[in-house]
Amino acid sequence: MTGDLRQQPRCAGRIAFLKLAVVAVVAVIAGAALMSACSQPSDSQQTAAQQQQAADEQTRKEADEKAWADAEKTGTVAAYTAYLQNFGAGAHVSEASQRIVALNEQARKAADEKAWADAEKAGTAAAYTAYIQNFGGGAHAAQARQRIAELSRQARKDAEEKAWAEAEKAGTAAAFTGYVQKFGSGAHVAEARQRVAALETQGRREVPSIDIQKTCQAAAGAMVSLMGGTTTEQDVNACLDSEQKARDQIVKDRATYSAADKKQCMRTDNYLPSYVEWLTCLEMERDVRKMERPEQFGAGPWTLPKVRPAINTAGR
């Protein structure tokens, strides 16, 4: 009996402790549940967030569509580029890029056609060359090169015909020879050579013959008598060479000498006639005539313009 009484207080303490422990555990569990409930959004909060996200997405889509509609309405490269800058991930990015490529190609073609039209209007080699420089791969590049080749051939042909007309007008061996030198494959080369040959043959017939061997021997002897020494074959040969060249020059330029000058200068009755002396005489007479020729006012007489009396009497 006494032992039972001693154990009762101990049992009561254990029971109280157990109760406290159970209460503590329950409190912990309740606190954890409360914290979990506080950390998770409620259904109403989740619904509000989803609605806001949907509203933002709708706003973005509407802005995207409006920007695209504006770009389509403007229809320029700048407008489509602005759309891409503002809506890089928009619904019409691919289409905007295609529009830009198409517009750039259209602008390039339009510029190409305008440049070609301008070149055709000018119709010059310089205009076609400028087109090729700006549009080397353009639609008309081959045609422009063909135009340049045609114009070049035409220009050369015109220059050749002008040179031939001038040679025929001059009618001298020098003029025909100059034509051949400038247009070696021209249309009139064969005829020019024939004219030169005919003129030289005619000139040789017209230029009196001189025994240049006798003239040169006599000239060398005269030099010996004046200067002393002996006559050398080299001196004679040099004289013969000069005489032959002078004769060829007279034949070549005979058409530039007047009949009076030829009659005066080319005289075979002089002592030891010389082609060198004849050529010197002819060229001097020709040059003098050129210097005496009036260039601006003619040969005269001249009549001075009448002056108003008021000018003469002014200041009296």
Side-chain angles (χ1 to χ4, degrees), residues 194-214:
Q194 292 174 0
R195 295 285 187 89
V196 171
L199 287 169
E200 289 180 350
T201 301
Q202 181 180 354
R204 290 188 182 93
R205 287 197 302 264
E206 292 181 0
V207 176
S209 296
I210 297 176
D211 187 353
I212 59 176
Q213 186 72 35
K214 179 180 178 181

Side-chain angles (χ1 to χ4, degrees), residues 116 119-133 143-145 147-148 151:
W116 175 247
E120 285 278 77
K121 183 178 180 180
T124 63
Y128 291 119
T129 300
Y131 170 82
I132 292 175
Q133 290 174 346
Q143 195 172 357
R145 292 186 179 92
R147 291 279 201 282
I148 293 172
L151 288 170

